[in-house]
Amino acid sequence: MLRSAVGEGGEMIRGSVWPAGVVFLLGLNLRPAVTSLGAALPDIDPGIGDAVAAVLVALPLWVCGIGGLLAPRLQAARGTQRTVQVALVLLAAAQAVRVMGGSALLVTGTVLVCVAIALTATMLPLLVGGKSTLFSVCYTLSLGCGSTAGALITPWVVSHSSWRFGLAVWALLAAVTVPLVRGLDGTRPRLGSARVRTVAGSGIARSLTVYFGLVSAVTFLVMGWLPAILRDAGVQADAAGACLSLCMVLGLPMMWLVPWWLHRRRSQPLLLVFLVLPSMIGVVGLLVDPAGAPWLWAAGLGVGMGGIALVLTSIPRRAGGDPRITTALSAMVHGCGYLIAGVCALTCGLVHSVTQSWNVSLVMVLIVLCGQAVAGFAAVRPGSAQPGALPRQRAAAVAPDRVSASVSCPPR
C-alpha cells in the first residue's frame, strides 16, 4: 500500500511539474526574438534614423496583433498542440533566416517571428487553463525571464561574435521546445473556429483588451527607448544599459507575485494600484530629472511590467473553463490589444522623431498609463467574459456567491 501511495504521489508530481515546465519553455520563447533585435540594433545599423527606429519598435506589436487574430482559425483546423508546434518551427526557422541577408530579409524574418510568437501566445492560456498557481506562475515568470535573457545575453554574444549569431542563437530554444509540446493537453481539431465576436460584447473582455494593449505599449516603449532617454540626459551608456537590465530583472518577481495574488483572491483593485503607480512615478521621474535617479525610475517601470501577468492570468479564469471562450478571449486580448499597443508605440516614437525631444513622448506615455488605470479598474471588477455573463452581473446583489465563483478558481 505504501509503495502504491508513493507511486501515485510520484506520478502526480510528474504529471503536474513536467507540463508546467513545458509551459515555462513555451513562454520563454515569446520575448528573446524581439528583445534581442532591440539589443543588437546599434550593431546592425548604427546610423539608423529615428523614424525607422520608431517603426521597428512598433512593428512587432502590429504583427503580433494580426497573428493573434488569425490563431483561432489555425487552432480549429490543427488543434492546440499542432498549432503550437507549427508556430515553434516557424519561430526557429525565421530567426535563423532573417540574419542571412540584407535589411529586407531581416524585416521579413522579423515579421514571421512575430506571427509565430502571436500564435504561441494566443494558445498558451488554453494550455494553462485554470489548473493551478504553478501553471500560471510558470507562464508569466517565463515571459519576464525571456525578456531579461534577450536584453542581457544578446549584447554579450554580439560582443564576442557578431550580431547575426547574437540573433540566430535564440532559434535553438524554439527548436528544443518543439518535440516537448506533445506531452501537453490540448483541444483537438474541430469544425468552426472560436470567434472573437463571441466575447466582444463583454465589458470584461473589452477592458482586458484595452488594459493589455496599454500595458504592452508601455512595456515595449521601455524596452526600446529607456537607454536612449537616459543617454540623451547625460547618463553613461553602460549605466543606461544597466538600468534597462534592472528594469527587466525587477519585472521577474512581479510575474510570480501577480498570479499568486489572483489565485489567493486578494483585492484586485489594490493590486492594480501597486502595478500602475510605480510606472507613473518612473515616467514622471524621466520627465522631470532623468539623470537624477535613473535607477529609481527604472525600478518603478520594472514593477509596472507585472500588469501583463494580471491579464494573462485572468484570461482562462474569466473564460469560465470553456476552451472555446478561452481561445476567443485570448485572440481578442492578444490580437486587438497588440494593435492598440502598436498605435501607441508608433505615435510616441514618431512624435519623438519630429520634436527631437523626449518630453512630449513621455507626457503621452503618462496619458497612456492613466488610460491603463481606468481600463484596469474596469477589468478587475467581478464578472465573466462568457456570453450572457453581463445580465448575471446585474443579479450580483441577489446571488453574489455565484458571480464570484465565475471569477475565482482556487488552485487544485
Side-chain angles (χ1 to χ4, degrees):
M1 183 178 296
L2 178 61
R3 289 181 180 176
S4 175
V6 172
E8 291 178 0
E11 290 295 331
M12 186 177 300
I13 293 175
R14 286 194 296 270
S16 60
V17 174
W18 173 255
V22 177
V23 166
F24 181 85
L25 280 177
L26 284 172
L28 201 62
N29 278 277
L30 299 182
R31 290 293 183 266
V34 176
T35 56
S36 62
L37 179 61
L41 197 58
D43 298 278
I44 297 172
D45 186 359
I48 191 169
D50 290 336
V52 177
V55 173
L56 287 177
V57 170
L59 178 64
L61 295 167
W62 286 88
V63 178
C64 285
I66 296 172
L69 293 174
L70 295 176
R73 292 184 178 273
L74 185 58
Q75 188 264 348
R78 298 293 183 182
T80 305
Q81 289 182 12
R82 185 61 61 86
T83 299
V84 173
Q85 286 181 317
V86 168
L88 289 173
V89 171
L90 177 61
L91 180 60
Q95 288 184 93
V97 170
R98 68 176 176 172
V99 301
M100 294 182 179
S103 57
L105 192 59
L106 178 63
V107 172
T108 303
T110 300
V111 168
L112 295 177
V113 161
C114 294
V115 170
I117 290 174
L119 292 174
T120 307
T122 306
M123 292 296 102
L124 261 174
L126 194 61
L127 296 173
V128 172
K131 294 174 182 175
S132 68
T133 307
L134 175 63
F135 278 81
S136 297
V137 169
C138 284
Y139 175 25
T140 57
L141 184 61
S142 64
L143 297 179
C145 290
S147 298
T148 305
L152 292 180
I153 297 177
T154 302
W156 182 86
V157 175
V158 171
S159 65
H160 287 77
S161 56
S162 67
W163 68 265
R164 298 181 188 276
F165 186 73
L167 295 184
V169 70
W170 296 106
L172 297 175
L173 179 62
V176 168
T177 312
V178 172
L180 303 179
V181 178
R182 292 184 179 180
L184 293 177
D185 295 331
T187 58
R188 298 180 178 274
R190 59 193 173 193
L191 294 176
S193 60
R195 300 179 182 273
V196 170
R197 66 168 177 260
T198 304
V199 296
S202 166
I204 295 294
R206 292 195 298 267
S207 299
L208 281 173
T209 301
V210 174
Y211 180 74
F212 178 79
L214 299 182
V215 171
S216 298
V218 175
T219 300
F220 273 77
L221 285 170
V222 168
M223 291 190 297
W225 298 113
L226 180 60
I229 293 173
L230 295 178
R231 291 178 66 174
D232 286 352
V235 179
Q236 294 295 322
D238 292 344
C243 285
L244 177 61
S245 301
L246 173 67
C247 181
M248 296 297 182
V249 169
L250 285 181
L252 295 180
M254 299 307 301
M255 295 298 181
W256 168 83
L257 174 63
V258 171
W260 176 86
W261 188 310
L262 292 177
H263 277 282
R264 294 302 187 276
R265 302 182 185 182
R266 303 285 180 175
S267 172
Q268 295 186 24
L270 180 61
L271 174 62
L272 188 68
V273 172
F274 183 67
L275 292 172
V276 176
L277 189 58
S279 291
M280 289 184 170
I281 293 174
V283 173
V284 171
L286 291 175
L287 185 62
V288 175
D289 188 10
W295 303 98
L296 180 61
W297 315 146
L301 292 169
V303 171
M305 288 185 179
I308 292 180
L310 187 150
V311 180
L312 299 181
T313 306
S314 298
I315 290 175
R317 294 162 63 82
R318 295 307 182 102
D322 188 327
R324 290 178 64 85
I325 301 300
T326 302
T327 304
L329 181 58
S330 181
M332 179 176 174
V333 168
H334 285 93
C336 299
Y338 275 130
L339 292 177
I340 293 172
V343 172
C344 295
L346 182 61
T347 302
C348 292
L350 292 178
V351 166
H352 166 66
S353 69
V354 171
T355 62
Q356 293 299 306
S357 170
W358 293 109
N359 291 340
V360 179
S361 295
L362 287 172
V363 170
M364 294 175 67
V365 173
L366 197 58
I367 294 173
V368 168
L369 285 171
C370 293
Q372 177 182 319
V374 173
F377 280 114
V380 299
R381 68 190 181 196
S384 170
Q386 290 184 331
L390 293 180
R392 286 198 296 272
Q393 290 178 25
R394 299 189 186 101
V398 180
D401 293 336
R402 216 175 141 192
V403 174
S404 121
S406 69
V407 179
S408 301
C409 24
R412 297 198 290 265

